[in-house]
Structure formats: C-alpha cells, structure tokens
Amino acid sequence: MMKFFLAAVLMLSQVSMAKAENLLIVGEDEIRQAIEQEFVEQGQNQNVDLELFGGQTVFHIQNAQKAKILVSGLTFDELQNKFSCNAEIFADGKSFAKTDISGRYFLLSEIWVPARNVQKGELIKPEMLRQIQVRANRIKPSFVTDKDKLVGLEAKKLLKEGKIASDRDVGKQMLIKKGDTVTVVYKTDKMQITAKVEALNDGGEGDKIELLNPKSKKTLFGEVLDKDTVSAEVQ
C-alpha cells in the first residue's frame, strides 16, 4: 500500500511538472517593457518609469513556445503624467488576448551619485562616482548631480553610497583651516613683504579670509592662494 501511495505521488508530481513546463507566463514586467518601447517609438527621447493601475497585466498561456506583445493606441497626458494604450498578446503568432492598459509615467534622468561612502573632508574624484537613473521630478534645484560639478569638490559631511548630494553636502575644497599658521604676502609696486599670521576662518582658493598678526595683534583680510599662502594688500 505504501509503495502504491509513493508511486501515485510521484506520478502526480511528474504531471504537475509537465504542466508547468508547458505554461508560458507573460507578466507585468514584459507588458511594461513593451509600453516603454512604444514611448520611444513615439519620439520620447527620455527613458520612462511606468506605474500600471488599469488592465490585465499577467497572462498564462498553455502549450506555447513564444509570446509577443503588440502595443497600440498609446496616448499620454503630459500635464498629469497619465497614459493609456491597448496591448494584444500573441502566442506562437496567434492572438491570445487583448487588454486596455492605463497608468502613470515619469521621465527619468541620468545623474551621478557616490559609488561608495565619501567621508567628510574627502576630495571627490571621478572613480568615487557612478551614474544612476531617477525620476526627473524628484531632482531638486539644490541637488548636485553633474559629474563635472561634483569632481574636485570637498565632502562637507558623510556622503552615503547611492544618495544624491545637495549643495549643502559639498563645496569648494578648504585649503586653509581656521587656526592654521600661513604666510601672508604684502605686495606693492616696489616691494614684497611676508609675515606669518593665523587664519581666523576656513578658506578655499580665491576666498577672502580674516587673519590675525600674532605680533601686532591686528587683523587683516587676504585672498587664499594655496594651502600655505594668502595675499593681502598694504593698507
């Protein structure tokens, strides 16, 4: 009796596997890809991200080898980001089903984000960045997303891998830090004088920072030339 039961279970399992092998599934991902391609065919030069909320999006086809999706009648509302279209499913060249699809679409933009965590104070280099696609409506004016604008900037806080950086997160590299002892150069038409002073502010190249002369106890302002030198005019 036990052998017969095991044999029956084995036969049932084999039948189930055979049915599964003869079942072709067309899912939502395939439907979405076909609609995205139709957007391209209609001249949409930006990639789109679709949210489907109307129409059948999963089809189970028995005893078929190949399936094809034909999208037609695509219309979209640019103000509300809504679209609608017709999708016809073909199985081995024969029409299997038709469905009306509707949803929302979002234009995608390619932007640059950290490829790894960038520590505060690190200078951003090209190899620290990677490109991703995000919905264009999620990109705020304060975000810094261009590779050319990010490279050479200094991280003002920890930049997390894959996260968009804002203009508060990055900035010009600070060559001189508050408290640094630097050389101030006084220039005139006839002479050049140098002196050691203390920086009272952080500063990048071209920044005006306040300085303290430790001997005279007087303060002055100078322009940062490099990490060791500031230029000031003789008053």
Side-chain angles (χ1 to χ4, degrees):
M1 184 69 178
M2 179 62 71
K3 290 182 178 179
F4 174 78
F5 175 73
L6 290 175
V9 170
L10 180 59
M11 289 177 62
L12 180 61
S13 174
Q14 290 175 341
V15 170
S16 298
M17 288 176 65
K19 287 184 177 179
E21 289 174 357
N22 292 329
L23 182 65
L24 185 63
I25 300 176
V26 176
E28 184 170 308
D29 287 343
E30 289 79 16
I31 298 288
R32 183 182 290 106
Q33 289 173 10
I35 299 173
E36 289 173 353
Q37 183 59 39
E38 185 63 19
F39 268 89
V40 174
E41 294 294 331
Q42 291 203 17
Q44 179 56 252
N45 57 9
Q46 276 185 269
N47 291 333
V48 295
D49 183 22
L50 303 181
E51 290 181 358
L52 311 183
F53 53 69
Q56 184 178 350
T57 56
V58 179
F59 300 87
H60 296 81
I61 309 172
Q62 290 282 357
N63 302 315
Q65 298 298 317
K66 295 181 180 180
K68 184 178 179 180
I69 305 167
L70 177 63
V71 176
S72 61
L74 174 65
T75 60
F76 46 91
D77 183 340
E78 294 182 357
L79 295 178
Q80 300 186 52
N81 292 97
K82 293 182 179 180
F83 77 91
S84 63
C85 65
N86 312 115
E88 185 171 3
I89 314 302
F90 290 85
D92 292 338
K94 297 180 180 180
S95 180
F96 175 79
K98 296 180 180 180
T99 182
D100 296 326
I101 303 289
S102 60
R104 298 189 69 192
Y105 73 97
F106 303 89
L107 299 180
L108 296 176
S109 292
E110 292 185 339
I111 66 170
W112 292 85
V113 296
R116 62 166 176 82
N117 287 348
V118 180
Q119 301 300 320
K120 180 180 178 180
E122 273 194 275
L123 197 65
I124 300 174
K125 300 177 181 178
E127 59 269 24
M128 296 180 179
L129 302 172
R130 65 182 174 92
Q131 199 170 35
I132 64 171
Q133 287 190 331
V134 297
R135 292 180 179 179
N137 64 340
R138 293 180 177 173
I139 302 176
K140 299 178 181 179
S142 61
F143 289 165
V144 185
T145 58
D146 292 343
K147 183 179 182 179
D148 291 342
K149 292 183 178 179
L150 283 167
V151 172
L153 295 182
E154 182 180 285
K156 301 304 178 184
K157 57 179 287 188
L158 172 66
L159 305 180
K160 294 186 177 180
E161 178 184 348
K163 299 295 183 181
I164 303 175
S166 75
D167 54 13
R168 288 188 174 186
D169 301 333
V170 293
K172 186 187 299 186
Q173 182 187 18
M174 292 295 102
L175 298 175
I176 293 176
K177 303 288 186 180
K178 180 181 178 180
D180 285 351
T181 298
V182 297
T183 299
V184 61
V185 179
Y186 302 91
K187 288 185 179 181
T188 68
D189 293 337
K190 298 181 180 180
M191 64 176 183
Q192 176 175 303
I193 304 172
T194 62
K196 293 294 184 181
V197 295
E198 179 185 347
L200 299 180
N201 312 105
D202 295 345
E205 184 178 358
D207 289 344
K208 296 280 187 178
I209 63 171
E210 190 173 9
L211 308 161
L212 173 66
N213 187 319
K215 293 182 178 180
S216 65
K217 303 301 182 183
K218 292 183 178 180
T219 59
L220 64 151
F221 289 89
E223 179 180 341
V224 177
L225 301 179
D226 55 40
K227 64 183 182 66
D228 299 309
T229 315
V230 177
S231 174
E233 294 181 359
V234 176
Q235 302 297 321

